[in-house]
Amino acid sequence: MKLKSVVKLGAVGAASAILLAACGNNSGKESTSKLVNWQQSANLTTLDASKATDNTAFGTLNNSNEGLLMSGENNTVKPGVAESYNVSKDGKTYTFNLRHSKWSNGKPVTAKDFVYGWQRTVNPKTASQYSYLFDHVQNATEIGKNKAPLSSLGVKADGDYKLVVNLTKPQTYFKYLVAMAPFYPQNESIVNKYGSSYGTNSNNMIYNGPFKVTGWTGTNDSWKLVKNNDYWNAKNIKFDGVKFNVQKDPNTALNQYQTGSLDVDTLSGKQQVNEFKNSKELNSQKAATTFFIEMNEKSNPAFKNTNIRRAISMAIDRNQLTQDVLGDGSTPAVGYVAPGMSKRNGKDFTEAAGTKTGVSYNLAEAKKLWAKGLKETGKKSLNVSLLSDDTAAGKSTTEFLQTALQKLPNLKVTSQNIPFKSRLSRSQNGQFDMVITAWGADFPDPISFLSLFTSGGSYNNGDWSNKEYDALVNNAENADANNASKRWDDLVNAEKILMSDQGIIPIYHQVVPRVIKPRVHGIQFFPTGSPYNLRDITLSNK
Amino acid sequence: MVRYLARRIFYLILTLFIVTTVTFFLMKIMPGTPLTNEAKLSPSERNIVLQQYGLNKPVWQQYISYIVNAVHGNFGTSFQFSDQPVSYLISSRIGPSLLLGLQAIILGVFGGIVFGSIGAIKKGTWVDTTTTIISILGISIPSFVLSILLQYFVALKWGMLPIAGWSGFAYTILPTLALAALPFAESARFVRTEMVDVLSDDYIELARAKGLSKFGIIYHHALRNSLIPLVTIVGPLAVNIMTGSLVVENIFAIPGIGEQFVNSIVTNDYPTIMGLTILYCFMLCVVLLITDIVYGLIDPRIRITGKKG
């Protein structure tokens, strides 16, 4: 081959590449007037309700499908496929009365679809990572361990439109669970038809929610939710749908938001949030996620001393951390259980439990407690390492804490930021002195937080132990499970003990800062479970 | 030539096998599991799920079944994208990466050759200095800086091209430019250095004495002999660029494979890591083979014979 032909070949290659690209598609300038363009920071990984694990999947699923109930504002539930339901006096039997509704293929949604969907999620062969949410449903745990047949699961269809659920013990928050994706109905014939490719693209799926998913090939970066005319309440859907676009780079996403090609964008970091500080477009949502420090009493016995633990907590100025360091709208911790998640008699859980002891800043007092603690443990100084994620927030938090904590005399803190999976594995194996952990509630009930720190609990990595606390949490789940006010008191008192004994050190509650174009109204965001409801969106001409 | 090829293919398979094995065991050393919801699972719940994926078997058993499946063309299913075969994940996302890479390498290398040649011909003048400075900048400016600058000025400020996305040729221009900077600068530098040498050779003097036109001398004699070192670097560079760049793909929201590779490592998505490693390794081996053959085309002195191999 002569050089001339090499050149020619190159030119032909370049030309064909350009042509190929140009053929791609020309729909870049589609009409977006009645479509809401929404940024996602991660890919959609599945449409299979039994296998979904992340917010992108849950956000798409919660709006293309519907469970027995659905999340409403202020942590309430609204009727979904179930028009009504009643609970037996002992709190162990739930009966749901289903409305006559349809799948997007025109077939009716029946109680059998729920029985099948639940059995499929609990079936260990499905390897669902959320099957633990069924732990109160009769035999669910045994089925998960292959010790009971699938048919023994405590959910039965009584005719086509009545569903009876039997629980092993009362669970007041069961109503929130049935609004979540793992509890959605699934159609057996469709699951069998697609086999292992069920839910791996938008065509291998049927929907019973207000929207149908279109345009998802299984791995691509954009997909749509379009109005589902078979939805029982389709007449109240007032816009065409949502187009999700994966934009992983927050600056690119913000550029696109500012030029109008995105309507909803999640902000990232202090700088972006500051830019919208005084804008009406800023819409910050509490996430029911608390960041806290766990102290390892096994690796570092000094942490067994309450005064040491309290001194460390009191040396942290949480206002400074959230405002000056993080600056993304996160709020200083008011306790372990996140605020705005659970209310009784108009009072937020954090107000009811708020003793402030476990989260206040007082350096002088901290130094006193520290000196006392050191004396009690017979130590002159303490060297501890602080472990955290290698995210931007993780790094700035450890830097801040290192400086703050070293104001305690003779305390030396070294910090380590490592990738999430490594951090998790070291937390679980107890390979840390202090570790910054985050916990987000699955459902809006304080037990979702408080069940973690019972003695020997599998998430209790620091090994803090308090018998009174154990008893209170146990009562909330068992003896008082069916008595709302007693149960509330149990949980409030458990939180008080955890805070006054400083079993863990809460630092801040996460907030998700978003910007939304003024033309889009009526998006509902939820702190737990389903991230948002798009059913009530309306668009104005603004 | 046939014997030579057979031997090279044998080495290719051997290389693939070694790379696969090493990657497999390195991967298993990484802490954590591929489960997305791992933080919310208690040890017993985690075990139930891992059992279903066959991840609690001894590592050697997992290795053998992986190799057996891979030989049969089954690279497993991704953990990040639930139930999605790795082969589908790669084939559906590598297109944009390949296209951008190809455009960038063609633009970069041809641009670089022209630029480097001009620098060599005008050696010692301000033209040479300018081209040298530009190619040094091309090497030293990281692609993410260039991407952000291009996006900010060309797309956001001047509104000439789309900010990001993937729906037509216009969307490929900025990422192509960002990716082309490196091959452009590298080839300009190589071609300049080499051509400066070649231009002082006797046979160029002879060609001049024969009265050939300046263009004729550069094109037929000098350029061809300056390209050999370039061929050596362009192959691996092309593979590197065509397999996708995490940074450029993220900034321009390209539905490519670059980001998936990095993400598969962070999330312990073993089958995807393996599939992509094997693919990259294969591409690199093939490109190196092609490079060796191309040497012969450009310079008959290094033509491959069966004997020398």
Side-chain angles (χ1 to χ4, degrees):
Chain A
M1 206 182 336
K2 283 204 167 166
L3 188 64
K4 241 189 226 166
S5 19
V6 175
V7 174
K8 269 185 206 157
L9 200 70
V12 171
S16 47
I18 288 166
L19 272 174
L20 272 176
C23 293
N25 77 58
N26 290 317
S27 60
K29 292 256 185 289
E30 66 190 306
S31 155
T32 51
S33 58
K34 285 192 130 184
L35 220 51
V36 174
N37 278 287
W38 189 301
Q39 175 256 358
Q40 290 283 2
S41 52
N43 284 90
L44 180 60
T45 51
T46 186
L47 282 173
D48 183 341
S50 296
K51 295 186 177 171
T53 46
D54 55 276
N55 256 355
T56 308
F58 287 138
T60 301
L61 277 170
N62 288 317
N63 291 289
S64 58
N65 287 284
E66 194 166 281
L68 294 164
L69 304 173
M70 56 176 152
S71 305
E73 275 181 314
N74 299 319
N75 305 308
T76 54
V77 280
K78 295 191 292 191
V81 175
E83 271 173 321
S84 64
Y85 71 100
N86 48 61
V87 191
S88 66
K89 261 197 173 157
D90 65 359
K92 293 208 272 194
T93 307
Y94 280 68
T95 310
F96 294 92
N97 305 306
L98 312 195
R99 69 177 82 242
H100 290 245
S101 64
K102 282 185 204 164
W103 289 101
S104 53
N105 66 357
K107 298 267 160 61
V109 177
T110 66
K112 277 189 202 110
D113 295 326
F114 284 93
V115 174
Y116 176 73
W118 292 22
Q119 287 183 349
R120 186 168 172 268
T121 306
V122 171
N123 189 343
K125 285 205 179 102
T126 310
S128 167
Q129 294 181 42
Y130 270 101
S131 58
Y132 65 85
L133 291 174
F134 289 79
D135 65 350
H136 280 53
V137 180
Q138 244 173 26
N139 288 322
T141 314
E142 288 75 15
I143 293 168
K145 290 176 182 160
N146 271 323
K147 283 179 185 158
L150 213 48
S151 58
S152 65
L153 187 69
V155 54
K156 298 281 178 285
D158 178 1
D160 277 350
Y161 296 102
K162 189 178 269 185
L163 189 77
V164 183
V165 183
N166 288 306
L167 305 179
T168 48
K169 50 188 179 184
Q171 189 179 28
T172 45
Y173 49 93
F174 187 65
K175 57 179 191 260
Y176 298 124
L177 299 184
V178 297
M180 296 173 70
F183 291 80
Y184 285 170
Q186 296 181 34
N187 189 286
E188 187 169 5
S189 61
I190 297 293
V191 176
N192 289 335
K193 181 178 167 190
Y194 294 112
S196 65
S197 65
Y198 171 73
T200 57
N201 63 57
S202 50
N203 293 327
N204 293 0
M205 197 66 209
I206 53 170
Y207 309 93
N208 78 323
F211 305 96
K212 294 186 282 190
V213 183
T214 61
W216 184 58
T217 65
T219 60
N220 61 343
D221 282 359
S222 86
W223 61 96
K224 279 183 203 165
L225 286 173
V226 297
K227 189 174 169 179
N228 175 10
N229 291 321
D230 283 316
Y231 179 55
W232 63 269
N233 200 11
K235 66 174 194 302
N236 284 324
I237 307 297
K238 303 284 189 213
F239 74 121
D240 293 347
V242 175
K243 185 179 180 203
F244 289 116
N245 306 278
V246 179
Q247 308 290 2
K248 286 175 180 157
D249 186 273
N251 294 321
T252 303
L254 187 57
N255 285 344
Q256 292 197 304
Y257 177 82
Q258 277 164 337
T259 53
S261 49
L262 284 176
D263 295 302
V264 180
D265 174 34
T266 305
L267 299 177
S268 164
K270 194 175 170 179
Q271 203 190 342
Q272 286 201 346
V273 175
N274 272 345
E275 212 172 310
F276 288 91
K277 219 169 190 173
N278 301 315
S279 164
K280 277 185 185 159
E281 295 174 27
L282 182 65
N283 183 306
S284 288
Q285 278 299 318
K286 286 184 181 130
T289 297
T290 302
F291 281 75
F292 56 90
I293 303 174
E294 283 183 276
M295 293 153 287
N296 194 343
E297 300 188 7
K298 262 191 191 156
S299 77
N300 208 327
F303 287 136
K304 285 200 166 109
N305 184 291
T306 312
N307 288 325
I308 296 262
R309 297 198 301 266
R310 291 187 60 200
I312 293 176
S313 176
M314 270 192 190
I316 302 170
D317 186 347
R318 294 163 178 82
N319 279 318
Q320 199 187 357
L321 172 69
T322 50
Q323 277 172 23
D324 302 345
V325 181
L326 297 170
D328 59 357
S330 297
T331 55
V334 292
Y336 166 50
V337 174
M341 189 184 76
S342 198
K343 263 186 186 160
R344 185 163 172 81
N345 303 329
K347 215 175 192 182
D348 192 88
F349 182 85
T350 48
E351 277 175 67
T355 51
K356 282 272 172 194
T357 45
V359 288
S360 53
Y361 169 64
N362 184 337
L363 191 57
E365 182 67 20
K367 283 180 177 167
K368 271 187 214 159
L369 288 169
W370 179 250
K372 206 172 154 196
L374 279 184
K375 212 173 172 187
E376 283 164 2
T377 52
K379 297 213 167 184
K380 288 217 165 63
S381 63
L382 209 57
N383 285 331
V384 295
S385 66
L386 175 63
L387 188 65
S388 178
D389 295 330
D390 64 352
T391 55
K395 284 177 192 159
S396 40
T397 309
T398 41
E399 278 166 23
F400 172 81
L401 288 177
Q402 210 176 357
T403 320
L405 297 184
Q406 297 201 112
K407 286 182 183 153
L408 296 174
N410 301 319
L411 172 62
K412 194 166 181 293
V413 180
T414 47
S415 69
Q416 237 186 330
N417 296 88
I418 57 177
F420 175 69
K421 291 264 172 184
S422 311
R423 202 269 294 154
L424 203 58
S425 125
R426 285 183 57 178
S427 296
Q428 285 156 355
N429 297 329
Q431 296 164 316
F432 66 93
D433 285 341
M434 293 197 290
V435 63
I436 301 175
T437 307
W439 185 263
D442 285 324
F443 44 87
D445 188 280
I447 194 75
S448 189
F449 277 99
L450 292 166
S451 62
L452 263 65
F453 292 106
T454 50
S455 305
S458 48
Y459 307 93
N460 187 353
N461 301 317
D463 261 352
W464 172 79
S465 170
N466 182 304
K467 287 211 171 100
E468 222 180 317
Y469 179 88
D470 294 350
L472 287 166
V473 172
N474 188 30
N475 284 346
E477 278 288 75
N478 294 292
D480 300 336
N482 204 23
N483 182 330
S485 80
K486 267 192 176 173
R487 183 173 178 274
W488 176 263
D489 290 342
D490 289 341
L491 293 171
V492 164
N493 290 329
E495 165 92 6
K496 280 182 180 165
I497 291 173
L498 181 65
M499 285 301 94
S500 61
D501 201 48
Q502 208 77 61
I504 53 155
I505 301 174
I507 334 176
Y508 66 92
H509 305 296
Q510 197 184 22
V511 164
V512 182
R514 280 195 192 80
V515 277
I516 300 171
K517 290 280 180 201
R519 76 181 187 107
V520 183
H521 312 272
I523 307 174
Q524 286 172 11
F525 292 98
F526 307 117
T528 63
S530 35
Y532 34 77
N533 175 13
L534 309 175
R535 289 160 175 79
D536 302 327
I537 288 182
T538 53
L539 299 178
S540 64
N541 293 326
K542 236 193 292 180
Chain B
M1 185 73 180
V2 175
R3 253 169 76 188
Y4 172 78
L5 272 182
R7 220 164 80 186
R8 287 297 294 260
I9 289 167
F10 170 74
Y11 283 134
L12 188 150
I13 294 168
L14 189 69
T15 313
L16 279 179
F17 178 73
I18 294 172
V19 168
T20 310
T21 307
V22 171
T23 314
F24 188 90
F25 287 102
L26 280 179
M27 210 170 63
K28 291 287 170 184
I29 297 173
M30 292 195 301
T33 70
L35 308 181
T36 332
N37 199 32
E38 195 186 353
K40 290 275 176 83
L41 297 177
S42 68
S44 63
E45 287 154 3
R46 203 177 309 135
N47 279 338
I48 291 171
V49 181
L50 290 180
Q51 207 175 335
Q52 289 305 319
Y53 288 127
L55 288 170
N56 57 350
K57 285 187 199 152
V59 175
W60 65 269
Q61 276 184 20
Q62 295 181 38
Y63 171 70
I64 290 175
S65 63
Y66 183 82
I67 295 289
V68 170
N69 285 332
V71 170
H72 290 95
N74 173 7
F75 295 94
T77 52
S78 164
F79 290 121
Q80 283 178 73
F81 290 81
S82 170
D83 286 328
Q84 214 66 261
V86 168
S87 47
Y88 175 73
L89 171 65
I90 296 177
S91 62
S92 65
R93 287 193 73 101
I94 200 153
S97 299
L98 279 180
L99 178 68
L100 284 184
L102 202 67
Q103 285 184 194
I105 204 88
I106 291 170
L107 181 73
V109 169
F110 281 88
I113 291 176
V114 172
F115 225 66
S117 308
I118 293 173
I121 297 163
K122 305 273 178 190
K123 197 186 112 187
T125 66
W126 65 269
V127 181
D128 185 24
T129 318
T130 315
T131 54
T132 308
I133 290 175
I134 292 176
S135 41
I136 289 173
L137 281 179
I139 289 175
S140 37
I141 295 180
S143 59
F144 72 90
V145 174
L146 191 60
S147 299
I148 290 170
L149 289 176
L150 284 171
Q151 187 180 67
Y152 183 75
F153 286 105
V154 182
L156 194 64
K157 285 276 147 184
W158 307 332
M160 289 162 70
L161 286 167
I163 293 173
W166 189 254
S167 38
F169 176 65
Y171 290 81
T172 71
I173 297 176
L174 292 183
T176 300
L177 288 176
L179 284 171
L182 187 68
F184 169 79
E186 287 273 8
S187 34
R189 228 165 43 114
F190 268 86
V191 167
R192 184 200 168 270
T193 316
E194 203 57 28
M195 197 176 271
V196 166
D197 272 358
V198 171
L199 282 177
S200 59
D201 274 349
D202 292 344
Y203 66 88
I204 300 289
E205 286 299 320
L206 177 71
R208 275 204 197 115
K210 269 165 53 183
L212 284 182
S213 69
K214 200 171 181 186
F215 179 78
I217 296 169
I218 301 287
Y219 184 72
H220 287 288
H221 299 282
L223 187 58
R224 186 159 169 170
N225 284 313
S226 314
L227 287 184
I228 293 162
L230 187 64
V231 169
T232 317
I233 60 149
V234 164
L237 199 61
V239 174
N240 191 9
I241 289 178
M242 286 194 290
T243 47
S245 149
L246 162 76
V247 173
V248 174
E249 286 183 4
N250 265 359
I251 291 177
F252 292 105
I254 308 293
I257 200 76
E259 201 267 342
Q260 250 54 43
F261 191 32
V262 178
N263 206 25
S264 67
I265 297 171
V266 182
T267 55
N268 291 358
D269 185 356
Y270 309 129
T272 308
I273 304 176
M274 296 302 296
L276 282 168
T277 310
I278 293 174
L279 177 75
Y280 289 6
C281 179
F282 177 77
M283 283 173 72
L284 194 61
C285 290
V286 169
V287 163
L288 289 178
L289 179 61
I290 294 173
T291 309
D292 286 350
I293 295 170
V294 171
Y295 276 147
L297 294 178
I298 295 180
D299 187 345
R301 284 172 301 179
I302 24 182
R303 197 152 281 173
I304 298 147
T305 61
K307 262 184 281 169
K308 280 187 203 160

